[in-house]
């Protein structure tokens, strides 16, 4: 691969880490508590490999068929995060590549992923996608639905429920997204208070290229960054 592409990637990645570090410092959090999920839906496996060589291991994909296409081409220690809408007929084939699902957006999917995970002898770390007011997402549970369904979700044996995910509005300014991020955090805290047995329910997947700093300030544990990493690269 072009060495210029590699150096652009390296610089972009360093920029993102520096920005993450600054956001953490502002709110007295540790950078270790925030996972950068590099969203690779825009790029092919050569560019993903270059990111791998730069030390990246957490990759996010929104289309399940890409997981079974790109997954086998990359080293086995890559952690693939499923972040997009997952059609039920694609679960079986892509699940073996998935380390964590961020987009459990309906009960039918939760039940299916749980059953398929059990079938292959795994328990899949999973986040519930929440549709908040003013939010971009077409999919997801409303806060009311989650409050009603959380116990059932928590009992599904093939899922290890670890928290919540949201997509803030793409048009809104980062500051306007802050309210959405805060709402997600408060919902997580509320669910934790009501269900004291959900000891692993801590994660918040929120924040993308334009608003991840604000998301970190509001408690994001996973940020999903795509375009910012690939700025300046023809794709
Ligand atoms: C594409 C995508 C992202 C990354 O968006 P960027 O603005 O390119 O950083 C994050 N989350 C989801 C669910 C996506 O589909």
């Amino acid at each position: 691969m072009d060495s210029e592409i590699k150096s652009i990637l390296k610089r972009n990645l360093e920029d993102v880490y520096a920005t993450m570090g600054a956001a953490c410092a502002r709110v007295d959090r540790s950078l270790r508590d925030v996972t950068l999920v590099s969203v690779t839906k825009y790029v092919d496996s050569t560019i993903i490999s270059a990111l791998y060589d730069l030390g990246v291991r957490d990759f996010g994909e929104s289309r399940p068929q890409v997981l079974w296409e790109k997954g086998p081409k990359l080293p086995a220690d890559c952690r693939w995060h499923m972040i997009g809408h997952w059609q039920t007929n694609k679960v079986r084939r892509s699940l073996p590549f998935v380390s964590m699902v961020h987009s459990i957006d309906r009960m039918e999917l939760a039940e299916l992923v749980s059953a398929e995970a059990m079938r292959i002898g795994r328990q899949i770390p999973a986040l519930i996608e929440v549709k908040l007011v003013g939010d971009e997402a077409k999919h997801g549970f409303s806060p009311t639905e989650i409050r009603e369904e959380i116990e059932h979700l928590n009992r599904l044996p093939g899922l290890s429920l670890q928290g919540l995910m949201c997509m803030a509005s793409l048009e809104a300014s980062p500051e306007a997204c802050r309210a959405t991020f805060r709402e997600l955090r408060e919902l997580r805290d509320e669910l934790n208070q009501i269900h004291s047995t959900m000891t692993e329910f801590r994660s918040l997947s929120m924040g993308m290229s334009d608003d991840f700093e604000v998301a970190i300030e509001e408690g994001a544990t996973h940020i999903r960054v795509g375009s910012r990493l690939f700025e300046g690269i023809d794709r």
Side-chain angles (χ1 to χ4, degrees):
M1 117 159 330
D2 200 324
S3 68
E4 198 190 328
I5 295 185
K6 275 202 168 159
S7 60
I8 298 174
L9 268 181
K10 182 163 186 279
R11 199 168 57 229
N12 288 352
L13 189 62
E14 284 168 358
D15 270 2
V16 169
Y17 280 133
T19 309
M20 289 170 69
C24 284
R26 283 197 294 278
V27 290
D28 209 12
R29 296 185 62 198
S30 163
L31 189 56
R32 275 195 310 267
D33 297 333
V34 186
T35 301
L36 169 66
V37 177
S38 297
V39 177
T40 48
K41 67 184 178 199
Y42 313 101
V43 297
D44 63 19
S45 29
T46 20
I47 296 194
I48 305 178
S49 294
L51 277 175
Y52 181 90
D53 292 341
L54 291 168
V56 175
R57 293 294 178 272
D58 291 278
F59 298 99
E61 276 292 342
S62 49
R63 285 161 305 163
Q65 61 271 37
V66 175
L67 291 171
W68 70 67
E69 284 159 11
K70 289 179 181 169
K73 293 186 189 153
L74 285 139
D77 63 339
C78 287
R79 290 181 292 270
W80 293 95
H81 297 250
M82 175 60 190
I83 60 174
H85 184 61
W86 210 352
Q87 290 150 289
T88 44
N89 64 359
K90 301 219 167 71
V91 168
R92 180 167 291 188
R93 192 159 170 205
S94 37
L95 190 69
F97 300 100
V98 174
S99 291
M100 182 183 228
V101 194
H102 293 226
S103 45
I104 295 290
D105 57 8
R106 59 203 190 279
M107 190 53 86
E108 181 197 18
L109 181 70
E111 288 172 346
L112 180 66
V113 172
S114 172
E116 286 294 328
M118 294 301 282
R119 204 178 61 86
I120 59 173
R122 287 181 60 194
Q123 209 189 22
I124 305 281
L127 309 179
I128 307 167
E129 183 168 355
V130 188
K131 193 171 165 167
L132 297 165
V133 181
D135 184 323
E136 193 69 15
K138 293 181 216 73
H139 305 285
F141 291 81
S142 71
T144 310
E145 283 166 344
I146 294 197
R147 291 183 187 102
E148 287 165 8
E149 310 280 15
I150 190 76
E151 285 203 47
H152 179 62
L153 286 163
N154 195 37
R155 275 198 302 268
L156 293 173
L159 300 186
S160 159
L161 278 199
Q162 309 216 322
L164 303 174
M165 178 266 212
C166 76
M167 296 267 289
S169 167
L170 295 176
E171 277 94 56
S173 69
E175 278 310 315
C177 294
R178 189 184 291 280
T180 308
F181 297 146
R182 191 170 292 162
E183 210 183 321
L184 196 72
R185 185 188 68 216
E186 287 169 358
L187 181 60
R188 177 203 60 186
D189 294 345
E190 179 195 324
L191 293 170
N192 268 313
Q193 277 200 331
I194 303 170
H195 304 279
S196 55
T197 57
M198 299 200 304
T199 50
E200 301 295 314
F201 201 78
R202 282 189 292 261
S203 297
L204 293 174
S205 170
M206 57 191 195
M208 318 202 308
S209 288
D210 291 333
D211 52 24
F212 71 83
E213 290 181 68
V214 172
I216 290 173
E217 289 171 7
E218 293 301 327
T221 61
H222 295 74
I223 57 169
R224 309 179 309 268
V225 178
S227 14
R228 177 87 177 257
L229 289 174
F230 307 113
E231 259 166 29
I233 296 172
D234 260 347
R235 38 180 163 94

PDB file of all heavy atoms in Angstrom, residues 208-229:
ATOM      1  N   MET A 208     -19.852   9.936  17.334  1.00  0.00           N
ATOM      2  CA  MET A 208     -19.265   9.596  16.054  1.00  0.00           C
ATOM      3  C   MET A 208     -18.263  10.703  15.687  1.00  0.00           C
ATOM      4  O   MET A 208     -17.909  11.506  16.545  1.00  0.00           O
ATOM      5  CB  MET A 208     -20.376   9.448  15.004  1.00  0.00           C
ATOM      6  CG  MET A 208     -21.589   8.705  15.558  1.00  0.00           C
ATOM      7  SD  MET A 208     -22.685   7.926  14.374  1.00  0.00           S
ATOM      8  CE  MET A 208     -23.062   9.222  13.253  1.00  0.00           C
ATOM      9  N   SER A 209     -17.833  10.740  14.423  1.00  0.00           N
ATOM     10  CA  SER A 209     -16.762  11.684  14.053  1.00  0.00           C
ATOM     11  C   SER A 209     -16.979  13.108  14.549  1.00  0.00           C
ATOM     12  O   SER A 209     -16.057  13.747  15.043  1.00  0.00           O
ATOM     13  CB  SER A 209     -16.589  11.706  12.535  1.00  0.00           C
ATOM     14  OG  SER A 209     -15.990  10.512  12.124  1.00  0.00           O
ATOM     15  N   ASP A 210     -18.204  13.609  14.417  1.00  0.00           N
ATOM     16  CA  ASP A 210     -18.417  15.030  14.699  1.00  0.00           C
ATOM     17  C   ASP A 210     -18.708  15.350  16.159  1.00  0.00           C
ATOM     18  O   ASP A 210     -18.703  16.515  16.547  1.00  0.00           O
ATOM     19  CB  ASP A 210     -19.585  15.565  13.849  1.00  0.00           C
ATOM     20  CG  ASP A 210     -19.206  15.604  12.379  1.00  0.00           C
ATOM     21  OD1 ASP A 210     -17.987  15.721  12.098  1.00  0.00           O
ATOM     22  OD2 ASP A 210     -20.108  15.505  11.527  1.00  0.00           O
ATOM     23  N   ASP A 211     -19.025  14.335  16.941  1.00  0.00           N
ATOM     24  CA  ASP A 211     -19.480  14.668  18.297  1.00  0.00           C
ATOM     25  C   ASP A 211     -18.896  13.753  19.380  1.00  0.00           C
ATOM     26  O   ASP A 211     -19.386  13.725  20.494  1.00  0.00           O
ATOM     27  CB  ASP A 211     -21.015  14.648  18.349  1.00  0.00           C
ATOM     28  CG  ASP A 211     -21.602  13.356  17.813  1.00  0.00           C
ATOM     29  OD1 ASP A 211     -20.890  12.340  17.839  1.00  0.00           O
ATOM     30  OD2 ASP A 211     -22.763  13.362  17.378  1.00  0.00           O
ATOM     31  N   PHE A 212     -17.814  13.034  19.063  1.00  0.00           N
ATOM     32  CA  PHE A 212     -17.323  12.076  20.064  1.00  0.00           C
ATOM     33  C   PHE A 212     -16.723  12.738  21.295  1.00  0.00           C
ATOM     34  O   PHE A 212     -16.729  12.160  22.376  1.00  0.00           O
ATOM     35  CB  PHE A 212     -16.378  11.034  19.439  1.00  0.00           C
ATOM     36  CG  PHE A 212     -15.029  11.533  19.007  1.00  0.00           C
ATOM     37  CD1 PHE A 212     -13.993  11.654  19.912  1.00  0.00           C
ATOM     38  CD2 PHE A 212     -14.782  11.846  17.678  1.00  0.00           C
ATOM     39  CE1 PHE A 212     -12.734  12.093  19.507  1.00  0.00           C
ATOM     40  CE2 PHE A 212     -13.534  12.282  17.260  1.00  0.00           C
ATOM     41  CZ  PHE A 212     -12.501  12.416  18.184  1.00  0.00           C
ATOM     42  N   GLU A 213     -16.225  13.990  21.123  1.00  0.00           N
ATOM     43  CA  GLU A 213     -15.659  14.667  22.302  1.00  0.00           C
ATOM     44  C   GLU A 213     -16.744  14.901  23.346  1.00  0.00           C
ATOM     45  O   GLU A 213     -16.565  14.654  24.541  1.00  0.00           O
ATOM     46  CB  GLU A 213     -15.098  16.030  21.916  1.00  0.00           C
ATOM     47  CG  GLU A 213     -13.859  15.969  21.080  1.00  0.00           C
ATOM     48  CD  GLU A 213     -13.368  17.373  20.768  1.00  0.00           C
ATOM     49  OE1 GLU A 213     -12.927  18.044  21.724  1.00  0.00           O
ATOM     50  OE2 GLU A 213     -13.442  17.793  19.602  1.00  0.00           O
ATOM     51  N   VAL A 214     -17.884  15.410  22.853  1.00  0.00           N
ATOM     52  CA  VAL A 214     -19.009  15.673  23.755  1.00  0.00           C
ATOM     53  C   VAL A 214     -19.498  14.355  24.358  1.00  0.00           C
ATOM     54  O   VAL A 214     -19.809  14.273  25.550  1.00  0.00           O
ATOM     55  CB  VAL A 214     -20.139  16.393  22.972  1.00  0.00           C
ATOM     56  CG1 VAL A 214     -21.392  16.494  23.812  1.00  0.00           C
ATOM     57  CG2 VAL A 214     -19.675  17.771  22.532  1.00  0.00           C
ATOM     58  N   ALA A 215     -19.541  13.308  23.533  1.00  0.00           N
ATOM     59  CA  ALA A 215     -19.999  12.006  24.034  1.00  0.00           C
ATOM     60  C   ALA A 215     -19.087  11.507  25.160  1.00  0.00           C
ATOM     61  O   ALA A 215     -19.566  10.997  26.179  1.00  0.00           O
ATOM     62  CB  ALA A 215     -20.049  10.991  22.890  1.00  0.00           C
ATOM     63  N   ILE A 216     -17.788  11.690  25.005  1.00  0.00           N
ATOM     64  CA  ILE A 216     -16.853  11.268  26.058  1.00  0.00           C
ATOM     65  C   ILE A 216     -17.102  12.081  27.334  1.00  0.00           C
ATOM     66  O   ILE A 216     -17.141  11.543  28.438  1.00  0.00           O
ATOM     67  CB  ILE A 216     -15.387  11.403  25.584  1.00  0.00           C
ATOM     68  CG1 ILE A 216     -15.082  10.340  24.519  1.00  0.00           C
ATOM     69  CG2 ILE A 216     -14.415  11.271  26.768  1.00  0.00           C
ATOM     70  CD1 ILE A 216     -13.720  10.480  23.860  1.00  0.00           C
ATOM     71  N   GLU A 217     -17.316  13.385  27.148  1.00  0.00           N
ATOM     72  CA  GLU A 217     -17.598  14.213  28.329  1.00  0.00           C
ATOM     73  C   GLU A 217     -18.858  13.746  29.054  1.00  0.00           C
ATOM     74  O   GLU A 217     -18.991  13.890  30.261  1.00  0.00           O
ATOM     75  CB  GLU A 217     -17.757  15.685  27.917  1.00  0.00           C
ATOM     76  CG  GLU A 217     -16.440  16.331  27.504  1.00  0.00           C
ATOM     77  CD  GLU A 217     -16.633  17.720  26.883  1.00  0.00           C
ATOM     78  OE1 GLU A 217     -17.763  18.258  26.886  1.00  0.00           O
ATOM     79  OE2 GLU A 217     -15.646  18.251  26.386  1.00  0.00           O
ATOM     80  N   GLU A 218     -19.793  13.163  28.284  1.00  0.00           N
ATOM     81  CA  GLU A 218     -21.049  12.697  28.888  1.00  0.00           C
ATOM     82  C   GLU A 218     -20.998  11.219  29.285  1.00  0.00           C
ATOM     83  O   GLU A 218     -22.022  10.640  29.641  1.00  0.00           O
ATOM     84  CB  GLU A 218     -22.218  12.968  27.938  1.00  0.00           C
ATOM     85  CG  GLU A 218     -22.516  14.448  27.729  1.00  0.00           C
ATOM     86  CD  GLU A 218     -22.851  15.194  29.037  1.00  0.00           C
ATOM     87  OE1 GLU A 218     -23.438  14.597  29.955  1.00  0.00           O
ATOM     88  OE2 GLU A 218     -22.490  16.390  29.137  1.00  0.00           O
ATOM     89  N   GLY A 219     -19.830  10.597  29.172  1.00  0.00           N
ATOM     90  CA  GLY A 219     -19.696   9.244  29.717  1.00  0.00           C
ATOM     91  C   GLY A 219     -19.574   8.104  28.723  1.00  0.00           C
ATOM     92  O   GLY A 219     -19.623   6.931  29.118  1.00  0.00           O
ATOM     93  N   ALA A 220     -19.392   8.392  27.420  1.00  0.00           N
ATOM     94  CA  ALA A 220     -19.263   7.307  26.438  1.00  0.00           C
ATOM     95  C   ALA A 220     -18.135   6.350  26.833  1.00  0.00           C
ATOM     96  O   ALA A 220     -17.056   6.780  27.251  1.00  0.00           O
ATOM     97  CB  ALA A 220     -18.972   7.885  25.050  1.00  0.00           C
ATOM     98  N   THR A 221     -18.396   5.054  26.695  1.00  0.00           N
ATOM     99  CA  THR A 221     -17.333   4.056  26.885  1.00  0.00           C
ATOM    100  C   THR A 221     -16.866   3.511  25.541  1.00  0.00           C
ATOM    101  O   THR A 221     -15.798   2.913  25.444  1.00  0.00           O
ATOM    102  CB  THR A 221     -17.815   2.876  27.745  1.00  0.00           C
ATOM    103  OG1 THR A 221     -18.915   2.239  27.055  1.00  0.00           O
ATOM    104  CG2 THR A 221     -18.268   3.328  29.115  1.00  0.00           C
ATOM    105  N   HIS A 222     -17.710   3.664  24.514  1.00  0.00           N
ATOM    106  CA  HIS A 222     -17.358   3.255  23.155  1.00  0.00           C
ATOM    107  C   HIS A 222     -17.746   4.391  22.216  1.00  0.00           C
ATOM    108  O   HIS A 222     -18.908   4.814  22.208  1.00  0.00           O
ATOM    109  CB  HIS A 222     -18.126   2.005  22.725  1.00  0.00           C
ATOM    110  CG  HIS A 222     -17.785   0.779  23.521  1.00  0.00           C
ATOM    111  ND1 HIS A 222     -18.209   0.596  24.815  1.00  0.00           N
ATOM    112  CD2 HIS A 222     -17.050  -0.310  23.190  1.00  0.00           C
ATOM    113  CE1 HIS A 222     -17.741  -0.566  25.262  1.00  0.00           C
ATOM    114  NE2 HIS A 222     -17.036  -1.137  24.302  1.00  0.00           N
ATOM    115  N   ILE A 223     -16.777   4.897  21.452  1.00  0.00           N
ATOM    116  CA  ILE A 223     -17.130   5.867  20.421  1.00  0.00           C
ATOM    117  C   ILE A 223     -16.934   5.185  19.069  1.00  0.00           C
ATOM    118  O   ILE A 223     -16.049   4.341  18.909  1.00  0.00           O
ATOM    119  CB  ILE A 223     -16.304   7.165  20.527  1.00  0.00           C
ATOM    120  CG1 ILE A 223     -14.801   6.879  20.447  1.00  0.00           C
ATOM    121  CG2 ILE A 223     -16.630   7.886  21.842  1.00  0.00           C
ATOM    122  CD1 ILE A 223     -13.964   8.141  20.288  1.00  0.00           C
ATOM    123  N   ARG A 224     -17.798   5.522  18.127  1.00  0.00           N
ATOM    124  CA  ARG A 224     -17.764   4.860  16.818  1.00  0.00           C
ATOM    125  C   ARG A 224     -17.359   5.895  15.772  1.00  0.00           C
ATOM    126  O   ARG A 224     -18.155   6.742  15.383  1.00  0.00           O
ATOM    127  CB  ARG A 224     -19.147   4.280  16.493  1.00  0.00           C
ATOM    128  CG  ARG A 224     -19.731   3.400  17.620  1.00  0.00           C
ATOM    129  CD  ARG A 224     -21.112   2.882  17.236  1.00  0.00           C
ATOM    130  NE  ARG A 224     -21.996   3.933  16.795  1.00  0.00           N
ATOM    131  CZ  ARG A 224     -22.839   4.601  17.596  1.00  0.00           C
ATOM    132  NH1 ARG A 224     -22.932   4.317  18.888  1.00  0.00           N
ATOM    133  NH2 ARG A 224     -23.600   5.556  17.091  1.00  0.00           N
ATOM    134  N   VAL A 225     -16.098   5.839  15.347  1.00  0.00           N
ATOM    135  CA  VAL A 225     -15.560   6.892  14.494  1.00  0.00           C
ATOM    136  C   VAL A 225     -15.166   6.328  13.129  1.00  0.00           C
ATOM    137  O   VAL A 225     -14.372   5.385  13.049  1.00  0.00           O
ATOM    138  CB  VAL A 225     -14.355   7.563  15.179  1.00  0.00           C
ATOM    139  CG1 VAL A 225     -13.760   8.639  14.269  1.00  0.00           C
ATOM    140  CG2 VAL A 225     -14.778   8.178  16.518  1.00  0.00           C
ATOM    141  N   GLY A 226     -15.728   6.910  12.080  1.00  0.00           N
ATOM    142  CA  GLY A 226     -15.401   6.495  10.715  1.00  0.00           C
ATOM    143  C   GLY A 226     -14.716   7.602   9.945  1.00  0.00           C
ATOM    144  O   GLY A 226     -13.482   7.679   9.907  1.00  0.00           O
ATOM    145  N   SER A 227     -15.519   8.498   9.355  1.00  0.00           N
ATOM    146  CA  SER A 227     -14.975   9.487   8.404  1.00  0.00           C
ATOM    147  C   SER A 227     -13.744  10.241   8.896  1.00  0.00           C
ATOM    148  O   SER A 227     -12.811  10.475   8.133  1.00  0.00           O
ATOM    149  CB  SER A 227     -16.052  10.489   7.974  1.00  0.00           C
ATOM    150  OG  SER A 227     -17.174  10.439   8.786  1.00  0.00           O
ATOM    151  N   ARG A 228     -13.716  10.590  10.151  1.00  0.00           N
ATOM    152  CA  ARG A 228     -12.581  11.344  10.690  1.00  0.00           C
ATOM    153  C   ARG A 228     -11.254  10.604  10.505  1.00  0.00           C
ATOM    154  O   ARG A 228     -10.199  11.208  10.314  1.00  0.00           O
ATOM    155  CB  ARG A 228     -12.859  11.606  12.175  1.00  0.00           C
ATOM    156  CG  ARG A 228     -11.799  12.312  12.949  1.00  0.00           C
ATOM    157  CD  ARG A 228     -11.945  13.828  12.864  1.00  0.00           C
ATOM    158  NE  ARG A 228     -10.931  14.461  13.700  1.00  0.00           N
ATOM    159  CZ  ARG A 228     -11.178  14.991  14.900  1.00  0.00           C
ATOM    160  NH1 ARG A 228     -12.409  15.001  15.370  1.00  0.00           N
ATOM    161  NH2 ARG A 228     -10.205  15.521  15.598  1.00  0.00           N
ATOM    162  N   LEU A 229     -11.297   9.274  10.544  1.00  0.00           N
ATOM    163  CA  LEU A 229     -10.072   8.477  10.394  1.00  0.00           C
ATOM    164  C   LEU A 229      -9.582   8.451   8.951  1.00  0.00           C
ATOM    165  O   LEU A 229      -8.400   8.224   8.697  1.00  0.00           O
ATOM    166  CB  LEU A 229     -10.315   7.033  10.839  1.00  0.00           C
ATOM    167  CG  LEU A 229     -10.502   6.782  12.327  1.00  0.00           C
ATOM    168  CD1 LEU A 229     -10.878   5.321  12.554  1.00  0.00           C
ATOM    169  CD2 LEU A 229      -9.228   7.127  13.092  1.00  0.00           C
TER     170      LEU A 229
END
